Each structure stands twice: as C-alpha cells, then as structure tokens.
Amino acid sequence: MKFICLTLLLVSGITDSRSERNEVVGPADPVFAVSGEDVILPCSVKPSISVVDMRVEWFRLDLKDSLVHLYEYHEDRNTDQIQSYRGRTKLIHQELQRGNASLKLSTVRVSDEGGYKCFIQSKSWYDEAIIDVRVEVAVGRPPVITVDGFNRSGGLHLECESEGWNPDPDLEWLDSDGVRLTDNRFISWRTSIILISVFVVIAGILIAAFAHKNRAYNQLQNERDQLLQSQKIIITQAVPHLRENVEHEQLLQSQKIIITQAVQNLRKHMAVNVTLCAHSRLIVSDDGKQVKYENREDGEEDKYFGVLGKDGFSSGCFYFEVQVKDQTKWYLGVARKSRNRKDVNTLRPDEGYWTVGLRDEKYWASDSTSVPLSLKVKPQRIGVFVNYEEGLVSFYDVKSMSHIYTYTDQSFNEKLYLCVCLGFQRNYNSTPLIICDDY
C-alpha cells in the first residue's frame, strides 16, 4: 500500500512539474492598431497545449469592471463584458486547440488604447500576459469645398466635405489671417466676393490637385487668365447682382493660402522617394538625386539629355519636387518607359511625356501643341502631382505657391516615371537639377 501511494505521489509530482513549465506569452512590443480597422491581440500558451477546456479571460488593466472577453466551459460568456466592446471581440475557437488564445478586436476605437491582460487558467495551473495596445488615428482625404447657394442677405453658403477620418474631426472656418469666421462675417457683400474668389481658386487648383477633372483649365494658356475668367463665370452665373471689381491682390493672396495648404497635404500624404537612372551624356550623383550635363564630343548618338527615375508608378497618387534654380534649359514631369527617345523635338503626351520646361528664356507646357506659360516669377523649385486613375498631372511653383499648369483627362496604360531633361543637342549650363526630399 505504501508503494502504491508513493507511486501516485511521484506521478502527481511529475504532472505538476510539467504544468509549471507552461506559460502564457504575449508580444514584447506594443501592438499598433489603426482607428476604424481590425486588430489581433496575440496571446498563446508555450509550449503549445490545448486550452479548449480552460478558462480564458481578457481584461483592461486601466478600467473598472474591465472584462473585455470571457471564454469558459467551451463557450464565450460575455454577459459582464464592458458595454463598449459588445459585438467587437472574438476568439478563434479552432485555434484554442493549438494553445492560441489571441483576441480579435473589430473596428478599433481611440478609447481602446491601453493595457490588456490575457489570463488563462486550467485545473492545475494559471498564468497571464500583458499586451500594450496603441491606437493610431486614421487621417481622411483632403477637404473639398463647394458653393451651396446664397441667402437673402447676400451671404454665401460653402459646404466642406472629407471622408476617411476616424474619429470624426473638428471643423473650423478660418480667414486668411487664421481667425475663426462667424456667421456675421460670412454674410457681408465684400466677404462674399472674396470667398467666391477663394472658391474659384480651390476649384481650379486644390480640387484639381486631388484628382477632380476640369476640362476648361486645359484650354487656358496662363494662370492669370485662368483665375480671372473662372471668377467671372462664377460671379456672372451665381450672383449677377454682385459687382465684378474683385481686388486682384486679394485673389492672389487667397490663391497662395489655398495652394500652400494643398502642397503641405501633398508633401505629407503623397510624397515619394525617387532616384535617377544613369545616362551616357549626363552626370548622375551617387545617390541618384542630382543630374547635370557633361560636355563630351565623342560622337555619342544620344542627343536627348533626359533621364528617368528608377521606380515607376502604375496606380494611385504620388508627388515629388525638383529644384531648377539657376539652370537655363530644363524640362521635368513624368514619362512612360516606352517613350520616344529618337527624333524627339517636343516632349508631348503623344510621345509619352507630360512636362513643363524652360527654353529660350521662355516657359512652356508641351501639350498637344506648345503652350506658352506666363509666370510672374522664375520658378526655383517645381512640385509635380500625379493622379494615375484620373489621368491628371499638375505642376506648382513651390516657392511662390502658385499653379503652373495641369494636364487633364490623360490616358495612362503603363508605368509612369519621374522625368528630368537638360534639353537637346547641348547645354552649356553646369547647374544640376536636384530631386528634393527636404520637406
């Protein structure tokens, strides 16, 4: 009898010893989740054993009555679950057999951020792991502003729309000095006229920059005519009783404010890191960020001094900037890889190029025909924005925050690459073109 009891004690000791070696483990680093999306909070038993017959509890460490999820007696028992987690938590039951008690949390909220405890208990042992969850806010699309009508006193109604924010953002209307606008300030005649000007600029530049088609702009030859003509159309059709003597400086100031906001958004959300390929007649820096002409008389056949970026884009939106300061002959924009490199006289879309440039001390866009550009100042740094699906390529003078030109309704059917060119035949200016990344 003593021998049997001793044997049972030994067996029990071995069982307890094995149980003690099992532990509940979670991630060593914080789990990052995006607001509005789903996330998995990892938790498992090591070495792997089935937890089907065990109790699995998930708690919040920083909340009272903090039950997030409870599994017991082979089923979920969430009667006492925190109200804000109702219908958003789930254990993958088929994974419990493999010791995986990870929790799926759906439609993550900012309030979900914090510490979680994963607690697992059997008849002979228990253990727990701590998981730190960090929630990142989802940034929505840039706002789109439209005119929604006028009231009897001449006030202008503007509607601002934006999607994809989580949580909902706060909305404020500010004037050019950053002062919050009140209802009374919106209804004055003078403010109405100025806001119409701002709307024209938004419709022609900011909305165009974020892929809204505008066929009229493709037919206009320069920025000033673009703005004044659009302004005249809006005022004539919407409020014929208003005077058309909008102060030009106010219009330009409104334009600068809007384009500044547009460029800041492009830099933050759509900027890409691009580098240049090599070229037989050009000197490309080791980091692929600069290119300049090399004066060689060795009979090279390649007389086109253009070079593409190494990486191409076949979908979505992207943005980059190129410094052209002090260079007297240049073209830049985007091109398809199957572009025409022989007998190139103009870098037109039908040849596979969408560019603006400087030649003979004049600025040009090479659309279906060459379009002269009337620029008030010499651009030193050009921003290029592309929306592949919308067939749109826009150019901006980053220093003066002005719109240069936009190609619209283009048809892209292959990858597009950054394209910079130092002209044809020869270029005696040794100043490099520089791809910028100092946003």
Side-chain angles (χ1 to χ4, degrees), residues 141-323:
R141 294 185 178 182
V144 175
I145 301 175
T146 55
V147 173
D148 193 39
F150 302 84
N151 60 28
R152 293 180 180 178
S153 61
L156 177 65
H157 294 282
L158 298 181
E159 182 175 282
C160 178
E161 295 181 315
S162 181
E163 299 178 346
W165 297 88
N166 201 321
D168 293 337
D170 294 326
L171 173 64
E172 290 185 351
W173 290 90
L174 308 177
D175 64 14
S176 60
D177 295 323
V179 178
R180 178 184 296 180
L181 292 172
T182 63
D183 292 344
N184 291 334
R185 295 187 65 184
F186 268 106
I187 65 175
S188 68
W189 290 99
R190 185 177 183 83
T191 303
S192 296
I193 296 174
I194 295 173
L195 287 176
I196 291 174
S197 302
V198 174
F199 168 70
V200 173
V201 177
I202 295 171
I205 299 171
L206 181 60
I207 296 178
F210 291 99
H212 287 265
K213 298 180 179 179
N214 193 331
R215 297 176 182 273
Y217 289 105
N218 196 39
Q219 302 171 1
L220 300 178
Q221 295 185 350
N222 56 64
E223 175 192 356
R224 182 175 178 180
D225 290 342
Q226 236 178 29
L227 296 172
L228 295 180
Q229 182 63 22
S230 299
Q231 177 191 31
K232 184 176 180 181
I233 292 172
I234 294 294
I235 295 177
T236 301
Q237 294 179 352
V239 280
H241 56 284
L242 293 180
R243 296 175 299 169
E244 296 184 11
N245 60 343
V246 179
E247 299 179 17
H248 185 60
E249 290 303 320
Q250 288 179 330
L251 183 61
L252 295 179
Q253 181 64 24
S254 299
Q255 174 198 13
K256 185 174 181 179
I257 292 171
I258 298 301
I259 294 181
T260 299
Q261 295 173 348
V263 170
Q264 289 173 348
N265 279 307
L266 291 173
R267 284 175 165 179
K268 183 176 181 180
H269 300 294
M270 300 182 187
V272 292
N273 183 23
V274 287
T275 55
L276 298 171
C277 299
H279 189 281
S280 60
R281 300 295 300 275
L282 301 174
I283 300 176
V284 178
S285 63
D286 292 339
D287 62 0
K289 294 291 186 179
Q290 300 187 30
V291 59
K292 63 181 180 179
Y293 175 68
E294 181 181 21
N295 187 15
R296 295 171 56 185
E297 302 293 343
D298 55 1
E300 287 279 356
E301 294 182 359
D302 195 347
K303 301 300 183 182
Y304 160 63
F305 305 142
V307 59
L308 298 187
K310 291 182 179 180
D311 299 316
F313 303 87
S314 58
S315 64
C317 301
F318 59 95
Y319 175 81
F320 58 87
E321 294 179 5
V322 179
Q323 179 177 306

Side-chain angles (χ1 to χ4, degrees), residues 65-101:
D65 300 325
S66 60
L67 181 65
V68 174
H69 195 97
L70 172 62
Y71 169 89
E72 191 177 34
Y73 304 121
H74 299 166
E75 62 181 13
D76 298 311
R77 296 173 175 266
N78 289 321
T79 304
D80 297 325
Q81 185 184 39
I82 301 175
Q83 183 65 35
S84 62
Y85 287 89
R86 294 287 172 89
R88 297 199 298 127
T89 61
K90 181 180 180 181
L91 292 177
I92 311 301
H93 286 199
Q94 56 267 34
E95 289 294 317
L96 296 175
Q97 184 68 38
R98 292 185 281 271
N100 183 0

